[in-house]
Amino acid sequence: MLALSLAAAFILSSANIGQDNKLFWDLLLIFEALWMHALTLLWAYELCKEEELLFLARLPLSTSLKRSAYERGRFLALLAAFLPIVVLVAVLDAIVASPLVVWQSLLYSLSALLGGFMVLAFSRLVSSVSALLFSTAFLALGNGLDELYLYATMQKDSGAVLKAASEILFVAAPNFSFFDHQGEAVAGVWDSVFSFWALPPLYFALLSGALFALAVWRFNQKAI
């Protein structure tokens, strides 16, 4: 599906909408973001489901493997499976697009991987299916937090409650909008060096570390 979507982007790329390559790069990034997120969510769910079916979580009981090391292996397994896709897509983008578009593609990869990590962490709290649904919901919510914040702060009739809620959610909820700078990447400009280059990797490291810590804590507390 990713290959077919990229082919569609190439086919539609000849349309002129006022800026060279804008439509092509937009379609390229949209399709890549869509399928990379779907891929990591699906792979993380399959990993959790197979763990349940094969009783792999019992390995720390029968071997010298520590629970924290086992949990780290789950996260690294998803990373190792996803990394070749990231490299392949980045190489393709480097051939047909600008360096800023390549960077945006990598940011979408971080966002997708974070969604997969969320499934792995939530699977220690709820069932695999519920973990997938909750993670998908957090992804959908997190990608719209910037629009909600802008609407609540810029519209005079939005109300104090909505404004306060948007500010709290923007900071407290998993904010996947930090990884979305597609407009800036396609246009070739960015508003802030920190928010465009530094904040997304730092936020990924912080949130993925928190998800891993949550998964390890719950796995240590859980009876196998």
Side-chain angles (χ1 to χ4, degrees):
M1 293 304 298
L2 175 60
L4 291 175
S5 299
L6 295 179
F10 275 101
I11 294 172
L12 297 173
S13 63
S14 59
N16 185 357
I17 59 173
Q19 177 184 333
D20 292 340
N21 299 316
K22 184 181 188 306
L23 178 60
F24 173 50
W25 290 350
D26 275 329
L27 290 174
L28 197 68
L29 290 171
I30 289 172
F31 288 141
E32 288 174 359
L34 172 64
W35 293 115
M36 284 194 293
H37 281 82
L39 192 63
T40 53
L41 290 173
L42 176 62
W43 280 356
Y45 166 71
E46 288 293 332
L47 191 155
C48 296
K49 186 180 70 173
E50 291 300 318
E51 179 191 51
E52 294 174 358
L53 293 175
L54 300 176
F55 302 101
L56 296 178
R58 296 181 180 179
L59 285 175
L61 296 178
S62 58
T63 66
S64 59
L65 184 67
K66 295 182 178 180
R67 293 193 181 194
S68 59
Y70 174 84
E71 199 65 37
R72 182 167 59 250
R74 295 172 77 230
F75 279 72
L76 291 178
L78 182 61
L79 173 62
F82 186 52
L83 190 58
I85 303 296
V86 176
V87 173
L88 180 63
V89 171
V91 170
L92 174 63
D93 288 342
I95 296 173
V96 300
S98 69
L100 294 182
V101 172
V102 177
W103 175 245
Q104 178 57 62
S105 177
L106 293 176
L107 294 185
Y108 281 145
S109 300
L110 293 181
S111 175
L113 190 58
L114 198 58
F117 286 166
M118 197 171 287
V119 176
L120 297 182
F122 287 170
S123 69
R124 292 302 182 210
L125 304 171
V126 294
S127 67
S128 299
V129 174
S130 297
L132 176 62
L133 294 176
F134 284 139
S135 300
T136 304
F138 273 116
L139 272 169
L141 173 65
N143 276 295
L145 287 179
D146 54 343
E147 284 85 359
L148 176 63
Y149 178 81
L150 289 174
Y151 173 81
T153 55
M154 297 182 69
Q155 292 292 328
K156 296 181 180 180
D157 57 346
S158 61
V161 175
L162 180 59
K163 182 178 179 181
S166 67
E167 292 175 348
I168 294 172
L169 288 173
F170 191 82
V171 176
N175 196 334
F176 288 90
S177 68
F178 289 148
F179 301 98
D180 186 3
H181 297 274
Q182 181 171 324
E184 299 169 72
V186 172
V189 296
W190 56 85
D191 294 332
S192 169
V193 173
F194 176 75
S195 64
F196 187 76
W197 296 100
L199 180 59
L202 290 175
Y203 189 73
F204 169 80
L206 176 65
L207 193 52
S208 59
L211 291 171
F212 175 71
L214 173 64
V216 171
W217 171 79
R218 186 65 184 101
F219 192 39
N220 286 330
Q221 301 295 321
K222 190 175 182 180
I224 302 177

